Amino acid sequence: MPSSPTIRSVTAIPVAVPLKVPTRIATREVLAREFVLVEVTTNDGITGVGYTYTGTTGGKLCATFINEYFAPRLIGASALAPEQHWAALFQEHLLIGRRGFLLRALSALDIALWDIMGKVAD
């Protein structure tokens, strides 16, 4: 029986999508929408992709957080345990916040792990 796939790498990339027409709101001018793309690759080459919207700023910060804090905790772990990883990372980082930034970072990672689950299940 083949072993369960493990996580070989986690990579988050910030993406800014420029607006065709910049928008002015009361406190600032919005020039782009920012997202973070997350790729999780298993030891057997399956890649799951997730993303999150980070607003008009925050893409680089969110990607750095995923790459520097979440990724090292996941390398070598089972790729088929998204609920376990979500709970552990949420608990470990709860002082950062239970809303907003932390949940957006977890969301992108969670989607990538569920993408792997779907691919493994075919």
Side-chain angles (χ1 to χ4, degrees), residues 68-99:
E68 293 187 11
Y69 294 94
F70 286 174
R73 288 154 178 80
L74 295 172
I75 304 303
S78 171
L80 303 182
E83 294 152 322
Q84 177 184 342
H85 297 314
W86 193 98
L89 291 170
F90 181 75
Q91 183 63 34
E92 184 175 342
H93 297 93
L94 65 88
L95 292 178
I96 291 170
R98 293 185 178 260
R99 299 187 283 176

Side-chain angles (χ1 to χ4, degrees), residues 18-34:
L19 298 177
K20 272 188 175 180
V21 178
T23 302
R24 276 207 162 283
I25 56 177
T27 58
R28 67 188 176 283
E29 184 176 29
V30 178
L31 303 174
R33 302 282 186 214
E34 293 193 12

Side-chain angles (χ1 to χ4, degrees), residues 6-58:
T6 59
I7 298 170
R8 181 176 66 206
S9 66
V10 176
T11 305
I13 303 162
V15 176
V17 179
L19 298 177
K20 272 188 175 180
V21 178
T23 302
R24 276 207 162 283
I25 56 177
T27 58
R28 67 188 176 283
E29 184 176 29
V30 178
L31 303 174
R33 302 282 186 214
E34 293 193 12
F35 298 84
V36 171
L37 302 177
V38 176
E39 287 187 346
V40 177
T41 303
T42 67
N43 60 320
D44 50 1
I46 299 169
T47 298
V49 178
Y51 73 94
T52 192
Y53 173 63
T54 61
T56 57
T57 61

